[in-house]
Amino acid sequence: MSWTDERVELLKKMWGEGQSASQIAKELGGVTRNAVIGKVHRLGLSNRSTGAAPAKAEAKAKPVEAARPQPAAKPKPEPKPEPAPEAKPAAEARPSLPARKQIIPAGQPLPPQPSANEISPEALAKVSEIEKKAKKLTLMELTERTCKWPVGDPATEDFWFCGLPVQPGKPYCEAHVGVAFQPMSARRDRRR
DNA sequence: CCCTGATTCGC
DNA sequence: GCGAATCAGG
């Protein structure tokens, strides 16, 4: 794979959004995170900071990158528009709702979320506890080693994945493994 | 150990 | 220019 215009563009975009090099590499495909980082540096956009530079000791006297040969064929005069958020489909008109009410759908509410059942009270407590510490990852941010336990209502903005370190070999973190994999013995409750 | 970006240097 | 290897952290 080579750095085509499109790929470079995506790279710039994602890097600007604060995505990690490895995430960008995965998205692009055919490149490693090293390649991404290398390209980032070559493009001269390694510094993500906006003015307030960290206390890094710069030994090299690097003036300012400026003269970029641009053959007036690119309708993109602006170097950096701004890290605008992704386009949202709908669901706006929510400037700020600090005291948002609990949205409890009627009938069969949420998708089968194994919790909410009668599992080990301890396990449940554990879950509700760690969910506060969850990293709240988005779907794209999940990796092989991040807990993929969904939290919240997918139809809402209050939806994210746990994201804590997974239990080796499992798709979930320790706490969520606890509620995900029931020995199916604690559920002899048949009559209802 | 998992991850992050930074740098070097042979290609 | 490219990116694997390596370095230096968290």
Side-chain angles (χ1 to χ4, degrees), chain A residues 145-163:
Chain A
R145 293 171 187 73
T146 57
C147 179
K148 296 159 192 65
W149 190 267
V151 178
D153 189 342
T156 321
E157 296 296 297
D158 283 319
F159 182 67
W160 31 269
F161 292 91
C162 174

Side-chain angles (χ1 to χ4, degrees), chain A residues 91-157:
Chain A
E92 288 304 359
R94 223 149 305 167
S96 60
L97 278 182
R100 67 178 327 192
K101 294 183 178 178
Q102 282 227 53
I103 304 177
I104 302 180
Q108 285 80 66
L110 307 177
Q113 194 154 26
S115 51
N117 218 325
E118 42 94 345
I119 314 179
S120 317
E122 310 167 358
L124 280 179
K126 215 174 186 179
V127 170
S128 43
E129 248 186 74
I130 64 105
E131 282 185 0
K132 294 172 188 169
K133 297 177 181 177
K135 301 186 72 178
K136 300 193 176 185
L137 300 182
T138 67
L139 182 58
M140 290 82 80
E141 293 170 329
L142 291 175
T143 75
E144 315 298 323
R145 293 171 187 73
T146 57
C147 179
K148 296 159 192 65
W149 190 267
V151 178
D153 189 342
T156 321
E157 296 296 297

Side-chain angles (χ1 to χ4, degrees), chain A residues 14 17 44 55 60-61 65-66 82 106 112-113 123 128 130 154 157 162 172-174 177 185:
Chain A
M14 292 183 73
E17 289 172 355
K60 298 275 177 156
E65 284 290 321
E82 65 219 39
Q113 194 154 26
S128 43
I130 64 105
E157 296 296 297
C162 174
Y172 307 122
C173 67
E174 181 188 341
V177 163
S185 52

